[in-house]
Amino acid sequence: MNRDQIKTVKFGGSSLSDANQFMKVANIIRADESRRYVVPSAPGKRYKDDTKVTDMLYKCNSLAEKGESIDIYFDGIKKRYNEIIKGLGLNDFSLESDFEIIKENIKNKAGSDYAASRGEYLNGKIMAAYIGYEFIDAADVIFFTEDGKFDEEKTNAVLKGVLKTHARAVVPGFYGSKPDGKIKTFSRGGSDITGSIVARACDADIYENWTDVSGFLCADPRIIDDPKPIEVITYRELRELSYMGATVLHEDAIFPVRMVGIPVQIKNTNDPDAPGTLIVHKTDKVDTERVITGIAGKKNFSVITLEQDMMNSAVGFGRKVLEVLEKHGMVFEHLPSGIDTMSIVLSTAQLEGHRDELINELCRAVEPDCIYIEDNLALLAVVGRGMVGERGTAARVFGAIAKAGINLRMIDQGSSELNIIVGVDESELEKAMKAIYEEFVK
Ligand code: ASP
């Protein structure tokens, strides 16, 4: 416990799904005085086939828009909150007047962002009452521009000032307001972003993000049995891994805290003593025992290959090819090339419905000797700050893949040396991941 520190703590929907989970959360907050700013999500699923309150609210809104009755669904929402209030023993606390206003507004077509945001708003009110913190409505401190973009400057200025006058407060996640006062939400899972914004505004020493897993694992547990947890990861490593499919945190949540170097600690509400994962800007900790931090893989990529004699001396070839992609609004992942070949790796979904057109345009643009598209490529990223300057890592990756009898279709190592990305046939992705895990982690 450290009185001088400030922590912003965000709790996800599964951490606040019922009264029992609320009690765990309150214990976590009370265990450390520096946990001064709390960002709650809306109540999530209590069991596998349960419905999140946010989804119930979206449903109410779509019924209202069709002019149908929202009574049954809205009653379901009230019941969820009232069970929490009762379970926590908050006898003098009631959300009845809020329920009335919200129901009326939804019926009067206040919009889907307004409806969805009420999940966090109501949960925030309960949380504030339960732990005795002040409630700050996110609509008063988190701002969006008229065209719906997050207004970083205004938010920072206002939120900083407001937090200075509140030693302890609850700021509900997921939403803010536009200049006309209308409620606007972030994309789904966006309470993570609010947590990050609050952490930045109060200049937190750490942003704790409490969820239902003990941080990141170094490989996908659906493929690798009981993979080892990652205790420390840098922002850049995380970006590489989450882009490839390892998700615990909302993609955009990293940026506000990353800019100012606030570390993020992922923790498990159901196992608070587990170390979790610390996400840092840089680390001096030398993880000598592990060269790689994590492995992630993603399927559904295609490769467009162009061949042309003397390509290496053709000025402007690459630009013309990329201009065609740009014209179609397509993004590419990698550009592995040979002396006379250029390959473009991109997601297969982008090609659907545009294959012939794209090939024709590329032919017109650069007149290649040969052009073809191959599908069913999976990309596998081996990521680790420990790889930088370490000799023999690539040999170990390729050796492990060769030993498993897998054909490598593509190789790419960024000059940052932070990652080695290989392309294998989709049917062999799982096998390749296992081979690399065995080589580096086991
Ligand atoms: N409640 C919102 C959602 O379900 C936001 C969040 O949980 O972060 O997406």
Side-chain angles (χ1 to χ4, degrees):
M1 197 159 60
N2 183 338
R3 262 167 237 272
D4 298 322
Q5 270 203 345
I6 300 181
K7 291 182 181 168
T8 293
V9 286
K10 180 259 167 181
F11 292 90
S14 58
S15 302
L16 297 165
S17 57
D18 60 20
N20 198 28
Q21 290 298 89
F22 258 80
M23 289 178 199
K24 289 186 195 169
V25 166
N27 285 338
I28 289 166
I29 296 169
R30 289 182 190 128
D32 183 344
E33 282 191 15
S34 59
R35 295 189 172 124
R36 287 172 39 187
Y37 299 108
V38 180
V39 176
S41 284
K45 293 184 180 195
R46 292 159 294 182
Y47 43 85
K48 193 167 159 280
D49 296 322
D50 197 14
T51 310
K52 288 174 153 196
V53 165
T54 308
D55 291 314
M56 296 164 90
L57 286 159
Y58 277 123
K59 176 80 187 171
C60 281
N61 177 66
S62 67
L63 289 172
E65 285 194 340
K66 284 187 267 174
E68 291 174 24
S69 163
I70 67 169
D71 290 356
I72 296 178
Y73 275 92
F74 202 81
D75 283 350
I77 293 167
K78 275 166 63 175
K79 190 162 169 259
R80 291 270 324 247
Y81 285 110
N82 283 334
E83 273 171 15
I84 295 174
I85 295 168
K86 190 157 172 250
L88 295 177
L90 290 171
N91 299 329
D92 302 328
F93 177 84
S94 161
L95 288 174
E96 286 312 317
S97 56
D98 284 296
F99 289 148
E100 257 172 57
I101 297 169
I102 293 168
K103 188 171 177 187
E104 224 23 58
N105 286 341
I106 295 179
K107 276 212 243 162
N108 293 329
K109 304 195 174 53
S112 76
D113 280 22
Y114 170 81
S117 73
R118 298 304 88 183
E120 271 70 10
Y121 172 84
L122 294 170
N123 234 21
K125 284 202 150 181
I126 302 179
M127 173 64 82
Y130 186 50
I131 59 176
Y133 280 26
E134 284 177 86
F135 175 80
I136 298 175
D137 187 350
D140 299 333
V141 288
I142 306 258
F143 301 105
F144 291 84
T145 58
E146 198 48 65
D147 57 357
K149 294 208 181 71
F150 171 55
D151 189 338
E152 193 184 316
E153 221 171 287
K154 184 173 171 195
T155 301
N156 256 330
V158 174
L159 187 55
K160 247 188 188 118
V162 171
L163 294 181
K164 275 209 180 102
T165 61
H166 294 74
R168 298 176 182 278
V170 173
V171 184
F174 193 37
Y175 71 93
S177 62
K178 300 217 292 191
D180 60 3
K182 282 218 171 88
I183 297 291
K184 164 98 187 104
T185 63
F186 291 107
S187 57
R188 292 299 305 265
S191 298
D192 281 344
I193 306 175
T194 309
S196 186
I197 293 167
V198 171
R200 183 179 172 193
C202 70
D203 202 9
D205 295 277
I206 193 159
Y207 167 29
E208 288 182 348
N209 189 293
W210 291 80
T211 175
D212 53 7
V213 292
S214 297
F216 292 96
L217 300 170
C218 68
D220 187 337
R222 288 166 300 186
I223 299 171
I224 308 289
D225 257 357
D226 203 14
K228 297 242 158 62
I230 300 175
E231 283 196 22
V232 181
I233 189 169
T234 63
Y235 288 126
R236 285 185 61 197
E237 289 173 314
L238 179 66
R239 170 91 182 106
E240 303 272 353
L241 287 172
S242 46
Y243 148 79
M244 291 293 282
T247 47
V248 170
L249 202 60
H250 192 296
E251 271 259 303
D252 298 340
I254 290 294
F255 295 103
V257 279
R258 179 178 181 166
M259 263 194 292
V260 287
I262 298 173
V264 184
Q265 176 89 52
I266 308 284
K267 295 279 281 177
N268 188 349
T269 301
N270 303 319
D271 187 7
D273 294 331
T277 300
L278 183 66
I279 310 167
V280 293
H281 188 57
K282 267 203 222 121
T283 171
D284 299 329
K285 196 176 149 202
V286 190
D287 309 326
T288 37
E289 79 285 5
R290 231 192 275 164
V291 179
I292 70 164
T293 305
I295 314 163
K298 208 168 164 183
K299 291 184 181 175
N300 298 318
F301 288 100
S302 296
V303 193
I304 307 172
T305 302
L306 296 109
E307 293 179 12
Q308 191 186 54
D309 218 13
M310 307 298 283
M311 184 192 287
N312 68 328
S313 51
V315 176
F317 189 94
R319 176 183 50 78
K320 288 179 199 157
V321 168
L322 296 182
E323 264 173 10
V324 173
L325 292 189
E326 190 179 346
K327 198 182 123 204
H328 285 268
M330 292 178 177
V331 291
F332 66 89
E333 311 293 324
H334 300 281
L335 278 181
S337 50
I339 299 290
D340 289 334
T341 63
M342 178 174 174
S343 305
I344 306 153
V345 179
L346 72 182
S347 69
T348 309
Q350 293 185 92
L351 291 177
E352 297 317 351
H354 304 285
R355 284 176 192 252
D356 294 344
E357 195 187 336
L358 194 66
I359 296 262
N360 288 339
E361 281 186 39
L362 286 169
C363 285
R364 273 202 299 278
V366 291
E367 298 178 359
D369 298 335
C370 176
I371 179 167
Y372 50 90
I373 300 181
E374 293 166 293
D375 295 326
N376 304 323
L377 180 78
L379 296 179
L380 194 159
V382 184
V383 176
R385 56 192 181 278
M387 285 165 32
V388 180
E390 173 83 15
R391 276 129 189 93
T393 313
R396 285 174 70 191
V397 171
F398 303 146
I401 290 181
K403 216 160 69 193
I406 298 164
N407 176 39
L408 266 184
R409 284 177 54 185
M410 189 209 86
I411 301 169
D412 196 352
Q413 176 178 16
S415 53
S416 67
E417 293 182 64
L418 201 67
N419 61 11
I420 296 176
I421 295 179
V422 296
V424 297
D425 199 82
E426 275 177 4
S427 61
E428 298 194 300
L429 176 65
E430 283 83 4
K431 205 164 140 198
M433 280 182 113
K434 283 185 188 145
I436 293 175
Y437 187 82
E438 292 284 322
E439 171 66 31
F440 285 96
V441 188
K442 270 240 156 125

